[in-house]
Amino acid sequence: MALFLFLILAAIVLGLIGVVAKGLFYLLVIGVVVLVVDLILVGARWSRRSRRHPVR
C-alpha cells in the first residue's frame, strides 16, 4: 500500500512539474504513465486477492 501511495504522489508531482515548467511536457507524460501502471498493478493485486475468497 505504501508503494501505491508513493507512486501516486510521484505521478502527481511529475504531472504538476510538467504542466508548470515550460518545455517539460515529457514529465507530464511520464507522470501519466506512472499513474496508469500503478493503477494496473493495484488492480491486478486486488483481483488476485478476490479469487481466494469465493462469493457466497
Side-chain angles (χ1 to χ4, degrees):
M1 189 64 168
L3 179 63
F4 170 72
L5 294 175
F6 174 73
L7 288 175
I8 291 291
L9 182 65
I12 291 171
V13 169
L14 286 173
L16 286 175
I17 293 172
V19 168
V20 173
K22 186 176 182 180
L24 295 178
F25 181 71
Y26 65 93
L27 286 179
L28 175 63
V29 174
I30 292 171
V32 170
V33 169
V34 168
L35 179 67
V36 169
V37 169
D38 187 34
L39 292 176
I40 289 171
L41 290 175
V42 168
R45 177 181 287 180
W46 282 345
S47 68
R48 247 188 294 149
R49 282 187 190 168
S50 66
R51 289 185 199 152
R52 294 180 193 161
H53 304 289
V55 177
R56 295 181 188 188

